[in-house]
Amino acid sequence: MEGSILSLLPPILALAMVILTRRVLLSLGVGIIVGALMLNGYNPVDSVAEIVSIVAAIFVVDGAINDWELYIIFFLLLLGMMAALVTRSGGSRAFGEWALKRVKTRVGAQLVTVMLGIIIFIDDYFNSLTVGNVSRPLTDRHRVSRAKLAYLVDSTAAPMCVIAPVSSWGAYIITIIAGILATHGLTQYEGLQAFMLMVPMNIYALVAIGLVLAVVFFKLDFGAMRVHEERALKTGELVDPDSGAIPGDQEDLKVSDKGRVGDLVWPIVALVLGTVAFMIITGIQASEGAATILSTFENTDVASSLLYGGIIGFAVALVLNIVKKTEASDLGATVWAGIKSMLPAIYILLFAWTIISIIGDLGTGQYLASLVDGNIHPMFLPAILFLIAGFAAFSTGTSWGTFGLLLPIAGEMAAVIDITMMLPMLAAVLAGAIFGDHCSPISDTTILSSTGAGSHHIDHVVTQLPYAIVAAVITLISYLVLGGTGSVILTLVTALVLLVITVLILKKLSTPIES
């Protein structure tokens, strides 16, 4: 059943249960158990051993520490502790009061979040967690729901990273593209040049960013998002009270009345500068020969850089609390509160990584890739690849895995069918992977966006889904135009016109929410 249609059963079962029960860990657990049973001929003993082996591999591989996953967990814990210390020092309150005097409207508060998401494109993990934590005091004061904040964060993180050449994503994609071009003898452009030519063809990323801006300016709240926004405006409840405690909040902490804006700003600045500095340092160290900007970001160690940046940010927040003469017992309680605030996100990540490994062993991605028929008319190839990549990322929870699997397949198809469609087909895979990532509750980017925003994970998934689908429909039609005409300009015009029409329709259907 590996590599067959049955390989879709565990992810689809988990996704269906998430939507129906809204219990993420239970749903992922069922998917993990079913997948493990399928891999081991329904032998329960072997299945349990398989699950234990996968979980153990998250921490140790071949006798050595698995620094990627482990460092991400450590970074989350450091971020939780840093956020708690910032809250304890009064920095979050001071920043909220300061920003409230300067950013007078809800639109302004959301626009600040979007601009930060666009500017901080160095890495999606870093973007999701940093932008959410920085923006939260401001959006909270303007009664913007946490689900809305998570949407703003998530829909600017990956779309920006996937079109920015100087980012961890850009470097990874350029490396794959360069290999594909070399394999098929395309020498008219190098990997970086091809990547830049593909940016205007990555329709979903561009439409998603455009839609976010339209949602902010024109207050386009519909579907489940409208429920959250109405509740936030009318009652001040930023999350669904039936979902339990707000992730990432430390409501029981004592808050200093001597807080200053710098108590929030300096730890964040230290975190950002520390992370970027170590990304550059580790990238240069790993580059062979003379390091260039591209080689630096291609070889950078993102997990280590996040960990080191997190340690620096935490240290600065700790020092600022010590300067305020916070008692040791209070510091200990604050740090523990920060750790506890991140545990739900870490549990979900552990379950997500486990099911992603099982899905990989089942060959779900390979099966989806095999659905692309070589006899399809070239006109439909970008649109079909967009859908296949979207479902692959949705089912497997990984954009990067989808890139690695489908980009070479798309390149091979283009070389056989129509070499002039090479870049459009590669761009369609990138766009589809981002779309699927936005929809998938097992995507680590989705999990971290909800964590950074302090939103319940499933609330973020359910509220973002309608917006992602709207952007995907516009993208799909645009790719049909691209496949039929080969004109990037006409494709962009089509996407823009469809986006404007969609916004006008949504604006007409969406009445303003009264507070």
Side-chain angles (χ1 to χ4, degrees):
M1 61 187 66
E2 288 150 16
S4 71
I5 191 171
L6 290 176
S7 66
L8 294 174
L9 180 59
I12 289 178
L13 178 62
L15 296 169
M17 283 192 63
V18 164
I19 294 171
L20 293 174
T21 68
R22 300 175 67 85
R23 298 177 66 181
V24 180
L25 294 179
L26 172 65
S27 304
L28 293 179
V30 170
I32 289 168
I33 292 170
V34 170
L37 288 169
M38 292 172 65
L39 280 172
N40 294 278
Y42 299 99
N43 184 313
V45 176
D46 290 344
S47 299
V48 171
E50 174 97 13
I51 295 171
V52 171
S53 174
I54 292 171
V55 174
I58 293 175
F59 302 98
V60 178
V61 176
D62 297 330
I65 293 176
N66 184 1
D67 54 8
W68 176 264
E69 281 88 353
L70 200 58
Y71 284 4
I72 294 298
I73 291 173
F74 286 156
F75 175 70
L76 284 172
L77 292 173
L78 285 166
L79 194 67
M81 292 186 289
M82 188 184 83
L85 287 169
V86 167
T87 300
R88 173 67 182 82
S89 68
S92 297
R93 176 190 289 174
F95 178 77
E97 292 172 352
W98 175 85
L100 198 60
K101 295 175 183 177
R102 289 158 179 80
V103 182
K104 303 292 186 181
T105 65
R106 295 181 84 246
V107 170
Q110 294 173 71
L111 188 59
V112 168
T113 303
V114 172
M115 289 300 105
L116 285 172
I118 291 173
I119 292 169
I120 304 177
F121 55 76
I122 205 83
D123 180 73
D124 62 323
Y125 284 11
F126 183 53
N127 184 312
S128 298
L129 291 167
T130 303
V131 174
N133 275 278
V134 171
S135 303
R136 200 190 307 168
L138 175 59
T139 54
D140 281 359
R141 290 303 183 98
H142 284 283
R143 293 191 175 187
V144 176
S145 68
R146 294 289 179 80
K148 182 68 166 292
L149 176 58
Y151 162 67
L152 300 179
V153 169
D154 201 1
S155 289
T156 51
M160 279 304 303
C161 289
V162 81
I163 62 175
V166 185
S167 70
S168 56
W169 284 49
Y172 172 70
I173 294 166
I174 290 168
T175 304
I176 296 177
I177 292 172
I180 293 171
L181 296 177
T183 298
H184 299 293
L186 292 176
T187 58
Q188 61 265 46
Y189 30 63
E190 297 179 350
L192 177 59
Q193 184 183 0
F195 179 87
M196 297 307 297
L197 290 171
M198 286 163 56
V199 169
M201 302 179 199
N202 197 330
I203 305 300
Y204 180 82
L206 300 175
V207 171
I209 294 170
L211 184 59
V212 166
L213 290 169
V215 167
V216 170
F217 279 114
F218 300 112
K219 305 174 184 177
L220 305 180
D221 302 313
F222 59 93
M225 186 72 79
R226 187 174 182 85
V227 176
H228 282 262
E229 284 291 88
E230 284 182 337
R231 182 190 301 114
L233 264 175
K234 293 178 180 179
T235 69
E237 293 177 322
L238 302 177
V239 298
D240 185 349
D242 295 331
S243 299
I246 302 174
D249 271 13
Q250 300 91 17
E251 294 183 347
D252 297 333
L253 291 178
K254 298 177 183 178
V255 178
S256 172
D257 56 3
K258 299 177 182 178
R260 297 181 179 180
V261 173
D263 293 327
L264 177 138
V265 172
W266 293 123
I268 295 295
V269 169
L271 171 69
V272 172
L273 293 181
T275 302
V276 173
F278 277 104
M279 287 181 74
I280 294 172
I281 291 169
T282 57
I284 291 174
Q285 290 175 341
S287 297
E288 297 180 1
T292 63
I293 293 177
L294 182 59
S295 69
T296 297
F297 282 92
E298 176 185 338
N299 296 293
T300 189
D301 188 338
V302 174
S304 296
S305 301
L306 286 172
L307 177 64
Y308 300 146
I311 291 172
I312 294 171
F314 168 73
V316 171
L318 184 62
V319 168
L320 289 172
N321 272 269
I322 293 173
V323 168
K324 292 181 182 297
K325 299 181 179 179
T326 305
E327 294 182 4
S329 58
D330 281 347
L331 285 176
T334 300
V335 169
W336 177 239
I339 291 173
K340 289 194 298 182
S341 73
M342 284 297 170
L343 291 181
I346 291 173
Y347 296 152
I348 295 173
L349 266 181
L350 290 172
F351 274 64
W353 285 332
T354 303
I355 196 172
I356 285 170
S357 178
I358 287 175
I359 288 169
D361 291 340
L362 282 171
T364 304
Q366 286 87 341
Y367 169 71
L368 291 170
S370 70
L371 297 179
V372 183
D373 191 338
N375 297 320
I376 296 171
H377 191 282
M379 171 184 174
F380 301 106
L381 286 175
I384 290 173
L385 282 169
F386 171 73
L387 292 175
I388 294 291
F391 195 73
F394 177 78
S395 302
T396 61
T398 167
S399 298
W400 283 38
T402 303
F403 296 155
L405 176 67
L406 287 180
L407 283 174
I409 292 174
E412 183 69 29
M413 290 174 61
V416 172
I417 299 172
D418 185 353
I419 197 70
T420 63
M421 293 295 292
M422 176 70 76
L423 297 189
M425 289 168 65
L426 296 178
V429 170
L430 298 181
I434 301 302
F435 165 54
D437 189 88
H438 275 171
C439 298
S440 178
I442 63 173
S443 160
D444 45 9
T445 309
T446 305
I447 295 167
L448 295 179
S449 293
S450 56
T451 302
S455 167
H456 290 292
H457 175 56
I458 192 60
D459 287 344
H460 169 44
V461 174
V462 172
T463 52
Q464 178 167 260
L465 189 59
Y467 295 93
I469 291 174
V470 166
V473 171
I474 294 173
T475 301
L476 188 64
I477 297 172
S478 300
Y479 276 142
L480 290 173
V481 174
L482 180 60
T485 67
S487 172
V488 177
I489 294 177
L490 186 58
T491 302
L492 287 172
V493 170
T494 301
L496 179 60
V497 170
L498 289 173
L499 178 60
V500 170
I501 292 173
T502 301
V503 169
L504 291 175
I505 293 173
L506 291 175
K507 186 180 177 183
K508 188 173 182 180
L509 295 176
S510 301
T511 56
I513 301 174
E514 299 294 336
S515 59

